[in-house]
Amino acid sequence: MSMSMMRVCALVLLFAAHIACAAVTDSVFLVGDAGLRGENDAVLRALRTDVTASSASLGPGHVTVIFLGDNVYDNGVPDEQDTRSFRAALKRLRGEVQNAAVNDGVRVFFVPGNHDWDKAGRRGLANIRRQAAELTTMNVEMLPRQGCPGPEIQNAGERLQVLFLDTQWWLHKFDKPTTTCTPGTKEGVATAIASALANAGGRMTIVVAHHPLTSAGPHGRDLESDATEQDQQNAANRAMRDAITRSFTAAPPLAWVSGHEHTLEVLKGTSARYFLVSGAGNAKHADVAIPDLARGDWLFAFPLRNQPRSNGGYMRLDVPDAGAPSVFVITVDPRGAKQTRFVQRLD
């Protein structure tokens, strides 16, 4: 066994001993950018196994799976007249649902991403609404609804509140709803986020969205001057992140959870207490993570330059009956072999 593997094993054993006195009551699986391969993808198959085990252990209503956007590459769900692309899109979407909604006691939600909005293109609003309608027929739900920005609120058990945001709505250059959404302005969204955080009723809060606030993948690193609104160096992206983080001032959330980068990252947060990036939801679809300590406090990042980009993965947030939740980072190789790479108590 390598020294690095020994350190991981020791970390997991120490962590297990530390939480032995607390019982896990709810688990939330976080998987992003999983819309490339369909039901036979190794990461999605591994997810199914873990969700099934958690559901059997915790019981109905205590397991939630959240897909963090880019649920269908490359342009979301197109018009049915484009028969071949439409069928391919539905096959990918069904693959995610089938590997997450393993029984009626598991709640499954999808967050929109830029690829779901027609890769941020002109047909974005139609494509995102079409995806939401298809998910409804599969007995799962996209949040926020109807291309609106959110926040929409769901509870995951007695101790955790989840705020769903559509960050592509902020960045989208083409048609998007405003007057039909409540709130329908950027200022209104920020105010609603602050209100939801302040009125959580003693629950901890995670905010789930597609775009990261800070990340080590290609969208977060120093890029050329032609960076698009999908990149953190872009002015529109910075303005969105600044407006959202200001809404955290009075009551910071436990974590901001995102995809977008095809990486797995855990950072000590600034505006939120932690930043979780879980965008490696398909095997052979990872990007190298290059943490920049001048921009953040990385506790974990994968894959680094010397690690296999063929591996993907996801995260599991375990909420105990008392004390802080814990995040588990799980990687999966193309053959389906799983490994818990990192565990962090979110104190």
Side-chain angles (χ1 to χ4, degrees):
M1 182 183 291
S2 68
M3 287 298 294
S4 60
M5 185 62 186
M6 289 174 65
R7 285 194 293 269
V8 170
C9 291
L11 174 63
V12 172
L13 288 171
L14 284 170
F15 180 81
H18 182 66
I19 65 168
C21 59
V24 173
T25 59
D26 295 275
S27 289
V28 181
F29 288 84
L30 305 164
V31 53
D33 303 72
L36 185 63
R37 301 188 185 282
E39 64 180 308
N40 291 321
D41 179 80
V43 176
L44 292 177
R45 293 198 312 269
L47 175 71
R48 181 182 182 89
T49 300
D50 279 357
V51 171
T52 301
S54 290
S55 179
S57 173
L58 299 177
H62 292 281
V63 176
T64 303
V65 183
I66 302 175
F67 288 93
L68 298 164
D70 288 359
N71 311 313
V72 181
Y73 284 99
D74 202 20
N75 296 84
V77 179
D79 190 281
E80 292 184 46
Q81 293 180 354
D82 187 353
T83 305
R84 184 174 180 179
S85 296
F86 179 76
R87 289 177 177 173
L90 290 196
K91 184 176 181 180
R92 292 171 181 173
L93 205 58
R94 287 194 190 102
E96 291 163 283
V97 172
Q98 289 168 0
N99 283 299
V102 299
N103 60 56
D104 291 341
V106 176
R107 305 173 75 206
V108 179
F109 298 99
F110 284 72
V111 174
N114 56 295
H115 280 272
D116 303 307
W117 280 79
D118 188 33
K119 199 177 180 180
R122 293 183 182 276
R123 298 168 297 181
L125 182 58
N127 286 12
I128 203 67
R129 288 179 168 172
R130 192 176 296 112
Q131 183 177 147
E134 293 296 335
L135 287 170
T136 299
T137 69
M138 301 176 198
N139 297 315
V140 300
E141 192 169 19
M142 174 173 280
L143 294 178
R145 298 175 177 89
Q146 292 298 312
C148 290
E152 295 208 33
I153 302 170
Q154 294 285 326
N155 292 327
E158 297 297 322
R159 303 190 61 224
L160 187 69
Q161 170 180 263
V162 184
L163 265 62
F164 291 81
L165 296 179
D166 186 346
T167 44
Q168 180 57 32
W169 178 92
W170 288 70
L171 302 172
H172 205 61
K173 296 178 179 178
F174 304 105
D175 289 345
K176 59 186 178 184
T178 53
T179 58
T180 57
C181 298
T182 304
T185 65
K186 295 175 180 179
E187 295 79 7
V189 174
T191 299
I193 294 170
S195 177
L197 290 169
N199 294 285
R203 294 177 187 266
M204 299 170 288
T205 302
I206 62 171
V207 183
V208 297
H210 181 63
H211 296 84
L213 297 181
T214 302
S215 61
H219 292 294
R221 298 198 291 266
D222 290 336
L223 302 172
E224 301 295 331
S225 58
D226 60 351
T228 74
E229 74 280 354
Q230 300 302 320
D231 305 312
Q232 289 164 33
Q233 293 75 18
N234 178 268
N237 193 294
R238 285 198 307 270
M240 173 188 70
R241 290 181 289 118
D242 287 346
I244 290 173
T245 55
R246 283 194 297 271
S247 72
F248 296 168
T249 302
L254 174 68
W256 174 276
V257 183
S258 64
H260 198 47
E261 304 283 17
H262 303 156
T263 58
L264 297 164
E265 306 174 42
V266 179
L267 298 84
K268 273 280 195 178
T270 48
S271 52
R273 288 163 59 190
Y274 289 88
F275 299 151
L276 307 179
V277 182
S278 184
N282 283 147
K284 300 181 180 180
H285 195 219
D287 288 317
V288 172
I290 306 176
D292 176 2
L293 299 184
R295 294 194 302 113
D297 183 4
W298 271 265
L299 303 177
F300 176 84
F302 179 89
L304 301 174
R305 291 183 190 276
N306 62 340
Q307 294 173 319
R309 290 179 59 188
S310 58
N311 291 9
Y314 49 89
M315 297 183 185
R316 188 183 79 243
L317 186 68
D318 281 355
V319 183
D321 56 5
S326 302
V327 65
F328 293 73
V329 182
I330 300 152
T331 62
V332 184
D333 74 17
R335 297 168 299 173
K338 293 183 295 184
Q339 181 178 345
T340 298
R341 292 271 183 170
F342 181 77
V343 183
Q344 176 68 37
R345 183 181 167 99
L346 302 183
D347 289 310

